[in-house]
Amino acid sequence: MAESQDVNTLKRRGRRRLVGAIALVLLAVIVLPWIFDPQPRHTPPVSVRIPGQDETPFTPKPVPKPPPPAEAAKPVPAPEPAPAKPEAAKPTPAPAPAAERARAEAALANAQFVVPVGAYADPAAVIGKLKAARLPYFTEPVATAKGTVMRVRAGPFASRDAAEKAHKQLKGLGFTPGSVAARS
């Protein structure tokens, strides 16, 4: 009986060693190519299109305006409720959408538009050209890593059309102006 037990334990040990050896070989076959792969996996190329300076500038799509609100019906007076338990303070209601819309339109009506001309360490020549062309302008100092530069902007203009006209005039003077923007 002792010999049959020794044979069984030897068979078990042999099977365990065989399973362990197979596991190690599979692990080596799978992991080693990942470790020693000379080139990373290929990713599909990403295409980016950057427009040139001579192409038309970016023009956002206009947002469609919502239809005007219908005339509000007269509010029906509600019957007065009977005196009840005192209530906690109610939060103030949010302003009506019509009031918000009127405030936004008023802000847009007072908007001023500017055209960025550029940022220069010595803006004297640029300012001279703008004076000769009789374009309104203003300057703002801007701190950069290379020192302070002067940002020159044409404007302010009361309407976007006037700013667009000045933009075309700046191009005619040999500048590369930025897009028309609302003055902040």
Side-chain angles (χ1 to χ4, degrees):
M1 219 33 186
E3 286 182 23
S4 66
Q5 286 179 351
D6 289 337
V7 171
N8 283 339
T9 56
L10 287 175
K11 284 183 180 178
R12 273 193 227 130
R13 284 183 185 169
R15 276 189 236 131
R16 288 180 185 157
R17 286 182 183 164
L18 183 61
V19 169
I22 290 172
L24 285 175
V25 168
L26 284 174
L27 184 68
V29 167
I30 294 171
V31 172
L32 288 178
W34 283 350
I35 294 173
F36 294 113
D37 191 13
Q39 295 178 351
R41 297 274 183 230
H42 296 291
T43 57
V46 177
S47 64
V48 177
R49 183 184 162 285
I50 300 174
Q53 287 185 342
D54 296 334
E55 293 181 23
T56 59
F58 172 74
T59 54
K61 294 180 182 177
V63 178
K65 292 184 178 180
E71 290 294 322
K74 292 183 179 179
V76 177
E80 292 185 24
K85 298 177 187 176
E87 296 180 19
K90 294 182 181 179
T92 58
E100 287 180 24
R101 181 183 200 126
R103 190 174 64 216
E105 287 176 359
L108 288 176
N110 294 333
Q112 293 181 335
F113 298 93
V114 296
V115 181
V117 178
Y120 305 95
D122 184 22
V126 175
I127 291 173
K129 282 186 176 181
L130 293 175
K131 281 182 181 178
R134 295 186 181 205
L135 281 171
Y137 68 91
F138 63 96
T139 60
E140 299 171 329
V142 178
T144 64
K146 294 181 180 179
T148 303
V149 296
M150 295 300 284
R151 180 183 293 157
V152 180
R153 293 184 174 186
F157 299 101
S159 69
R160 182 173 285 279
D161 292 333
E164 290 289 342
K165 185 177 176 183
H167 185 270
K168 290 178 183 175
Q169 191 175 357
L170 286 168
K171 278 187 176 180
L173 291 173
F175 293 112
T176 309
S179 299
V180 173
R183 185 173 184 182
S184 54

